[in-house]
Amino acid sequence: MSALTESAAWRALAAHQRRMATASLRELFAADPGRAAAFTLEFGEVLLDYSKHLADAETLRLLVALAEQADVRGWIRRMYAGEPINETEGRAVLHVALRADAAVFPEGRDVMPLVRAARERMRRFVDDAHRGALTGATGERITDVVNLGIGGSDLGPRMATRALRRFRAPGAPRVHFVANIDPADLEAALEGLAPARTLFVVASKTFTTAETLDNAARARGWLESGLGGAAALGRHFAAVTANDAGASALGVAPERIFPMWDWVGGRYSLWSAVGLPVALSIGMERFEELLEGARAMDAHFHTAPPARNLPVLMALLEIWYVDFFDARSRVVLPYGEDLRDFPAYLQQLEMESNGKRVDRAGRPVDYATAPVVWGASGTPSQHSFHQMLHQGTEPVPADFIVFGDRRGGPAHAALVANALAQSAALMEGDRAGEPHRALPGNRPSSVIVLERLDPEALGQLIALYEHKVFVEGVVWNINSFDQWGVEMGKRVARTLLPRLLRGGDDAGLDASTRALLARLRGR
Amino acid sequence: MSALTESAAWRALAAHQRRMATASLRELFAADPGRAAAFTLEFGEVLLDYSKHLADAETLRLLVALAEQADVRGWIRRMYAGEPINETEGRAVLHVALRADAAVFPEGRDVMPLVRAARERMRRFVDDAHRGALTGATGERITDVVNLGIGGSDLGPRMATRALRRFRAPGAPRVHFVANIDPADLEAALEGLAPARTLFVVASKTFTTAETLDNAARARGWLESGLGGAAALGRHFAAVTANDAGASALGVAPERIFPMWDWVGGRYSLWSAVGLPVALSIGMERFEELLEGARAMDAHFHTAPPARNLPVLMALLEIWYVDFFDARSRVVLPYGEDLRDFPAYLQQLEMESNGKRVDRAGRPVDYATAPVVWGASGTPSQHSFHQMLHQGTEPVPADFIVFGDRRGGPAHAALVANALAQSAALMEGDRAGEPHRALPGNRPSSVIVLERLDPEALGQLIALYEHKVFVEGVVWNINSFDQWGVEMGKRVARTLLPRLLRGGDDAGLDASTRALLARLRGR
């Protein structure tokens, strides 16, 4: 048994769960006419209705006690203080600094001057692009930007650029995203693009990421074929990296190398120059509204008491299902096509942060951590996997995300009606009719209303989930900010690659991998 | 207890599982030098390596006994005989007829003449498009096709069109897909398209699907704005439907209305005229190669003994994990960007088919059915959620899909090396180093090698998963071919929509939905 599962707060929850295991959502509502209002929390542009969860006032009291026991407030303070809470890498965790407006980090490292300087350089670059001053080797204006990055250098900017499609600035280039080492990815993105008018943003903290560097080399080849090798190809590249020398070696001019820092993890880096593609699409003013939105949520997270703190509440409800109801996944359903990439973004944010099995002291945990996060945009999801949500054998807690914008008319109303209907049907079920038509109901979901899908509100939404992940990590006593689990795979891939290309020694490999290698080896 | 869980085959598996629960994949390999070969099965362009599963010869023997007990062979025969095995809807299940080359259906309904006639009409339409004879209201050639459909009328053709991107035929239009009722979806797809050169394919079996009809109306508005209301807008539409009258009402000419039939479910309809966008992209000859591939897998499925039958084996392994190891999800990882939409396609195929909780007699089941299916293309997935696959607390069985094409050189080798490395690392784990670096290993995965990503091989791969789903349904004793679970949500949405637009009576709604409606109602 771990200290956590033996703790008073945990044991109280386990005892309480035995009662709630048979609770009925309908009865919880019947017992408390004020439930819908009491179980709704609002901050800024975000409203969370968590009334359709298998929780009552006592559940919340016990969950908050768990948060207090885990010293969530202390950990928030330590993060803001710039302490090295990413212990396995000995690093601070300062993505909140990327959207801060004041130096608040003691420990002798006020990073705000760095942040502000980078933002100013982004602004000049973006403004140049929008007024047509960003030109390629032939002097033609840049009309298309292709972001070459993977993981955190891809998922965040990709999601936000699509989400803010309606805010594309006058004169803004079109922005495309390429992540996969498979050349088909770049090839498809370049269809219809003109080398003379295309700029590549190469985003990699180390500037050694195989996928990104391979794509940069291919991009260079494409430019050379189109423009000739003697052309000033450097004018078609910018870089976002902590490795200036690497970017220089690719021919990127120093003024086009934007910084990354070791106190920001990839999956938390959207707010830095990694967000350059977003800023190129919507302009720097709008990009700063995104930062402002996040900053507002930071302030709420920093100061609101746990029971009225959106990220804390969402984290506690996740822990309630994962650790006490044995839920193994959560489905995320944005009802708005422009937010369609949000589930993929959350997959990295949540599963890479909290998919861990040893605690901060290195002991294996005896409780479940990050569940599988999956989802797709509604309404298409309804015509795909909702069958299983309603009538499958496994209840899956759901996050419905809808937009409050009332100017959308019937089309917007249709989205909202569908989202609310799905959430209601999951809870209410359907006892009528033949057995194959019946829905068991009593399946939990949150409804998150985002007042509008604009930069400020999106910033709040993303920061909400970032902090939720942080709180979960604190309670689970794991380090949410490393990702050691991906290292061994990289190492093995490095040893397999030459064997695939040139054959050779297969010693030390398992028999399955040996057989597959023999089968797949270039002949 | 159900008949299934009380059955001899099930109880034998449960007893066997208690031994296998502590089995080590490494030790299974060590104990049997021939394991990699013995646990590999090949048919056509598909190789399945299932050696890295927590199964030995006895496991397989017991699983096959379960399939025999469930009369999988009898059910296959009944499907092929055209019996109404979709009992809750009283329908036959004849998607295999869509790719058949001979009338093999007794019961007095040889559907092949219908199928062949539809295929010939598709051929003429596609050939016209490719030779420039398909023109719009102004006489300009159609260069872009937008498919308006959702669920089965979207996910299959979308996935296959992207997968076969390299096979785009000379003269073929570009094909786009729009599913969501959110106007942002259509809006984004139409960016840069010219009304005079754009054709819409409206795909809906009933021609009453709200999303698709709304998008068709919007498309009509877009065409009218661009071409004038008096133009012959019917030249910009085709339809795929079982409701000819509905399509005619939209102004679609009879010769452009392609059929759907009640003996093919939406998620199994790619092979019918629902595949029109695929055929428009790759040409009818290539589309028929897709059918031929599926037909080859059909023959294998129909005739191979269970222990050497690819779909049967994959189904049994899924059942093994879901029902005996309590796995709740499976991750699908295609290592090839062109197959990136395959996980989303499988989500519908698997979860809509088998996300059921009552058996064929209407009794609630006491075992788990369809797990959550999720995934994304590798290598980007490695930089997102693989952390959780390697070091999370929840083991997730994985399907790695790689391509055997050896002409791809280093780029292809990099994809293969990464896929094999991930599969190997999941199994081998890593005991060295500090605890936070260690991987527990012993996590199962399949490696599926598809010899090439071409129409024929893709047809085999899709049919493989279709039949896998069927076998699971047979063993679980559920009807894989209805989807009643989505009906209530539709009903509730229909009652909420007018209340959102016009306010009014909220009686009968739960308090949460009432509060959200009040909040979100148009002011």
Side-chain angles (χ1 to χ4, degrees):
Chain A
M1 299 285 279
S2 62
L4 179 56
T5 54
E6 283 187 337
S7 68
W10 192 275
R11 289 164 71 162
L13 279 161
H16 175 67
Q17 192 278 339
R18 286 191 282 279
R19 186 160 65 74
M20 294 304 288
T22 56
S24 145
L25 287 170
R26 280 161 167 262
E27 283 165 22
L28 290 173
F29 273 98
D32 178 5
R35 181 177 171 89
F39 285 64
T40 291
L41 183 57
E42 215 172 335
F43 171 78
E45 311 300 313
V46 180
L47 177 149
L48 170 70
D49 174 345
Y50 57 101
S51 65
K52 281 171 283 185
H53 282 294
L54 292 163
D56 60 12
E58 175 69 359
T59 317
L60 293 171
R61 196 185 63 72
L62 294 172
L63 284 169
V64 166
L66 180 69
E68 299 286 12
Q69 174 187 283
D71 193 22
V72 166
R73 290 200 239 206
W75 280 99
I76 295 174
R77 199 173 52 240
R78 282 194 278 284
M79 175 172 72
Y80 275 85
E83 290 183 27
I85 60 170
N86 175 358
E87 296 133 343
T88 64
E89 302 182 304
R91 292 175 182 168
V93 174
L94 291 180
H95 51 279
V96 291
L98 299 172
R99 55 237 190 179
D101 54 2
V104 282
F105 310 106
E107 308 280 318
R109 51 188 308 178
D110 180 6
V111 294
M112 288 314 295
L114 294 173
V115 169
R116 286 202 195 90
R119 226 183 277 160
E120 281 318 303
R121 292 184 49 216
M122 281 173 73
R123 185 190 318 280
R124 280 196 297 276
F125 191 72
V126 168
D127 288 352
D128 279 356
H130 291 190
R131 65 187 174 82
L134 199 66
T135 55
T138 65
E140 280 185 81
R141 177 178 182 154
I142 296 297
T143 57
D144 290 90
V145 168
V146 182
N147 189 70
L148 307 177
I150 194 164
S153 299
D154 172 65
L155 293 162
R158 186 192 290 258
M159 175 274 291
T161 300
R162 170 71 196 209
L164 302 175
R165 189 180 59 86
R166 288 173 180 279
F167 294 87
R168 194 156 144 222
R174 291 182 301 172
V175 181
H176 315 265
F177 292 88
V178 171
N180 204 326
I181 200 164
D182 182 353
D185 195 3
L186 182 67
E187 204 179 288
L190 294 182
E191 263 174 38
L193 302 196
R197 297 194 297 272
T198 302
L199 174 94
F200 295 90
V201 175
V202 187
S204 163
K205 194 191 277 190
T206 59
F207 228 74
T208 60
T209 313
E211 288 87 347
T212 304
L213 274 284
D214 279 13
N215 278 321
R218 283 176 202 133
R220 199 171 176 88
W222 180 76
L223 291 167
E224 277 174 5
S225 311
L227 302 173
L233 299 187
R235 297 180 68 171
H236 294 267
F237 283 99
V240 185
T241 186
N243 174 3
D244 288 27
S248 296
L250 187 77
V252 185
E255 68 275 15
R256 288 185 172 197
I257 304 176
F258 297 89
M260 292 171 86
W261 300 287
D262 72 358
W263 37 269
V264 178
R267 56 193 175 274
Y268 298 89
S269 66
L270 169 65
W271 323 97
S272 72
V274 167
L276 185 62
V278 186
L280 281 166
S281 183
I282 64 176
M284 203 59 199
E285 250 178 78
R286 291 292 196 179
F287 186 76
E288 292 194 328
E289 291 172 16
L290 184 79
L291 303 183
E292 281 160 26
R295 188 191 310 157
M297 186 57 73
D298 293 346
H300 167 75
F301 178 57
H302 202 163
T303 58
R308 305 301 291 168
N309 190 309
L310 279 172
V312 173
L313 254 184
M314 281 178 61
L316 292 173
L317 286 166
E318 177 107 315
I319 290 164
W320 179 231
Y321 287 113
V322 166
D323 293 305
F324 297 92
F325 283 84
D326 197 25
R328 313 277 187 88
S329 79
R330 192 180 87 250
V331 63
V332 178
L333 301 164
Y335 273 68
E337 187 63 18
D338 285 340
L339 205 57
R340 67 178 184 190
D341 295 331
F342 198 59
Y345 168 78
L346 288 184
Q347 280 185 326
Q348 184 194 20
L349 180 66
E350 304 202 23
M351 297 166 78
E352 190 164 88
S353 294
N354 287 339
K356 311 281 165 74
R357 55 180 290 287
V358 298
D359 67 16
R360 288 180 180 272
R363 289 171 304 236
V365 300
D366 60 351
Y367 42 86
T369 59
V372 169
V373 176
W374 59 290
S377 65
T379 60
S381 60
Q382 296 175 196
H383 295 257
S384 170
F385 52 73
H386 282 224
Q387 165 65 38
M388 183 270 193
L389 299 181
H390 289 297
Q391 289 191 316
T393 50
E394 162 85 354
V396 179
D399 286 358
F400 289 92
I401 304 175
V402 300
F403 303 106
D405 191 342
R406 293 163 193 81
R407 292 161 305 180
H412 173 255
L415 282 170
V416 170
N418 274 282
L420 298 190
Q422 291 296 315
S423 176
L426 283 170
M427 170 169 85
E428 294 275 317
D430 189 357
R431 272 153 220 71
E434 298 121 20
H436 57 264
R437 291 177 187 259
L439 274 58
N442 215 37
R443 299 195 164 184
S445 61
S446 293
V447 175
I448 295 167
V449 181
L450 198 66
E451 196 50 32
R452 287 172 304 280
L453 185 53
D454 68 8
E456 187 191 359
L458 182 66
Q460 292 183 9
L461 182 72
I462 300 170
L464 165 59
Y465 277 93
E466 283 182 346
H467 295 317
K468 159 191 176 288
V469 166
F470 174 69
V471 173
E472 289 166 7
V474 168
V475 172
W476 285 328
N477 193 26
I478 57 179
N479 179 1
S480 302
F481 301 101
D482 62 9
Q483 56 282 318
W484 294 103
V486 298
E487 293 307 317
M488 188 202 177
K490 283 188 200 175
R491 219 158 53 231
V492 179
R494 273 196 299 270
T495 74
L496 293 186
L497 187 54
R499 303 187 208 198
L500 267 164
L501 288 169
R502 295 189 298 272
D505 184 16
D506 287 346
L509 298 175
D510 67 88
S512 164
T513 304
R514 276 205 311 274
L516 287 163
L517 268 184
R519 169 86 187 199
L520 288 158
R521 196 168 278 148
R523 282 165 192 166
Chain B
M1 298 286 279
S2 63
L4 178 57
T5 53
E6 283 186 337
S7 69
W10 191 277
R11 289 164 68 162
L13 279 161
H16 175 67
Q17 192 275 341
R18 286 190 283 278
R19 186 159 65 73
M20 295 303 288
T22 56
S24 144
L25 287 171
R26 280 161 166 262
E27 283 165 20
L28 290 172
F29 273 98
D32 178 6
R35 180 177 173 89
F39 284 62
T40 292
L41 182 56
E42 214 171 337
F43 171 77
E45 312 300 314
V46 180
L47 177 149
L48 169 69
D49 175 344
Y50 57 101
S51 65
K52 280 170 283 185
H53 282 294
L54 292 162
D56 60 13
E58 175 69 359
T59 317
L60 293 171
R61 197 184 64 72
L62 295 172
L63 284 169
V64 166
L66 180 69
E68 299 285 14
Q69 174 188 284
D71 192 23
V72 166
R73 290 201 241 205
W75 280 97
I76 295 174
R77 200 170 51 241
R78 282 193 280 285
M79 175 171 72
Y80 275 86
E83 292 183 25
I85 60 170
N86 175 358
E87 295 134 342
T88 64
E89 301 183 302
R91 291 175 183 170
V93 174
L94 289 180
H95 52 277
V96 291
L98 298 173
R99 54 235 192 182
D101 54 1
V104 280
F105 310 107
E107 310 277 318
R109 51 187 310 178
D110 180 6
V111 294
M112 289 312 296
L114 293 172
V115 170
R116 286 202 196 88
R119 226 182 278 160
E120 281 318 302
R121 292 184 51 216
M122 281 174 74
R123 185 190 317 281
R124 281 197 297 277
F125 191 73
V126 168
D127 288 353
D128 280 355
H130 291 190
R131 66 188 174 82
L134 199 68
T135 54
T138 64
E140 279 185 81
R141 177 180 183 152
I142 296 297
T143 57
D144 289 90
V145 169
V146 182
N147 189 71
L148 308 178
I150 194 163
S153 299
D154 172 64
L155 293 162
R158 186 193 290 258
M159 175 273 291
T161 300
R162 171 70 196 209
L164 301 174
R165 188 180 61 86
R166 287 171 180 279
F167 294 88
R168 192 153 147 225
R174 291 181 300 173
V175 181
H176 316 265
F177 293 88
V178 171
N180 203 327
I181 201 164
D182 182 352
D185 196 3
L186 182 68
E187 204 179 288
L190 294 183
E191 263 173 36
L193 302 196
R197 297 193 297 273
T198 301
L199 175 93
F200 294 90
V201 176
V202 187
S204 163
K205 193 190 277 191
T206 59
F207 228 75
T208 60
T209 313
E211 288 87 345
T212 303
L213 273 283
D214 278 13
N215 278 322
R218 283 176 203 134
R220 202 176 171 84
W222 179 75
L223 291 168
E224 277 175 5
S225 311
L227 301 173
L233 297 188
R235 297 180 69 171
H236 293 267
F237 283 100
V240 186
T241 185
N243 175 2
D244 287 27
S248 295
L250 188 76
V252 185
E255 69 274 13
R256 289 185 172 196
I257 303 176
F258 297 89
M260 291 172 86
W261 300 288
D262 70 0
W263 37 268
V264 178
R267 55 193 177 273
Y268 297 90
S269 66
L270 169 66
W271 324 96
S272 72
V274 168
L276 186 62
V278 186
L280 282 166
S281 183
I282 65 176
M284 202 59 196
E285 251 178 77
R286 291 293 197 179
F287 185 75
E288 292 193 329
E289 292 172 15
L290 183 79
L291 303 182
E292 281 160 25
R295 189 191 307 155
M297 186 57 73
D298 293 346
H300 166 76
F301 178 56
H302 202 164
T303 59
R308 305 300 291 169
N309 190 309
L310 280 171
V312 173
L313 256 184
M314 281 177 61
L316 293 173
L317 287 166
E318 177 106 315
I319 290 164
W320 179 232
Y321 287 112
V322 166
D323 292 306
F324 297 92
F325 282 86
D326 198 26
R328 313 276 187 90
S329 80
R330 195 181 85 251
V331 64
V332 177
L333 302 164
Y335 273 69
E337 188 62 19
D338 285 341
L339 205 57
R340 67 179 184 189
D341 295 331
F342 199 59
Y345 168 78
L346 288 183
Q347 280 185 326
Q348 184 195 22
L349 180 67
E350 304 203 23
M351 297 167 78
E352 190 164 86
S353 294
N354 288 339
K356 311 281 164 73
R357 56 182 290 287
V358 300
D359 67 16
R360 288 180 178 272
R363 290 173 303 237
V365 300
D366 61 351
Y367 41 87
T369 59
V372 169
V373 177
W374 60 290
S377 65
T379 57
S381 59
Q382 295 174 196
H383 296 257
S384 168
F385 52 72
H386 283 224
Q387 164 65 36
M388 183 268 194
L389 299 181
H390 290 295
Q391 290 191 315
T393 49
E394 162 83 353
V396 180
D399 287 357
F400 289 91
I401 304 175
V402 300
F403 304 106
D405 191 341
R406 293 165 192 79
R407 292 162 306 181
H412 174 256
L415 281 171
V416 170
N418 274 283
L420 298 190
Q422 291 296 315
S423 176
L426 283 170
M427 169 169 86
E428 294 275 317
D430 190 356
R431 271 154 223 70
E434 300 121 18
H436 57 265
R437 292 177 185 258
L439 275 59
N442 214 38
R443 300 196 163 183
S445 61
S446 294
V447 175
I448 295 167
V449 180
L450 198 66
E451 196 50 32
R452 289 171 302 280
L453 185 53
D454 68 9
E456 188 191 358
L458 182 66
Q460 293 184 8
L461 181 72
I462 299 170
L464 165 58
Y465 277 95
E466 283 183 347
H467 295 317
K468 161 191 175 287
V469 166
F470 175 69
V471 173
E472 289 166 6
V474 168
V475 173
W476 284 329
N477 192 27
I478 56 178
N479 179 2
S480 302
F481 300 103
D482 61 10
Q483 55 282 319
W484 295 103
V486 297
E487 293 307 317
M488 188 203 178
K490 283 189 199 175
R491 220 157 54 232
V492 179
R494 275 195 298 271
T495 74
L496 293 187
L497 186 54
R499 303 186 209 198
L500 267 164
L501 287 169
R502 295 190 297 273
D505 185 15
D506 287 346
L509 297 176
D510 68 87
S512 163
T513 304
R514 278 205 310 276
L516 287 164
L517 268 184
R519 170 85 187 198
L520 287 158
R521 195 169 277 148
R523 282 165 191 167

